[in-house]
Amino acid sequence: MSKHTPEQRLNTQPPKPVFDVVEHCVRHSINSKEQGKLLSLLGRFASRHELETNAPPKPPRFR
């Protein structure tokens, strides 16, 4: 049997934005070896947090 749930009790948070892993790698100039690792780990699409935490560390930029 089903019950009616009022709209106020529903979780109405907007969905998290999802990004294309390959496009992210191109924009951030990540090489193809690291891109393959990210694709096998995360799949074709991932959230921004997943991409940033699993991306390779950037080399330091000295002036």
Side-chain angles (χ1 to χ4, degrees):
M1 180 171 220
S2 62
K3 291 197 282 185
H4 176 73
T5 304
E7 287 185 30
Q8 292 82 13
R9 293 188 60 204
L10 295 177
N11 187 3
T12 58
Q13 295 177 350
K16 292 182 181 179
V18 178
F19 298 97
D20 186 10
V21 174
V22 175
E23 183 180 326
H24 175 79
C25 291
V26 170
R27 276 188 287 136
H28 294 281
S29 56
I30 297 174
N31 62 17
S32 60
K33 183 178 177 183
E34 293 292 334
Q35 178 180 338
K37 288 181 183 179
L38 285 174
L39 282 171
S40 65
L41 178 66
L42 302 173
R44 180 70 181 187
F45 299 99
S47 68
R48 174 174 285 156
H49 179 69
E50 291 173 329
L51 287 169
E52 290 176 356
T53 56
N54 292 305
K58 296 179 183 176
R61 295 178 61 195
F62 297 108
R63 290 184 175 217

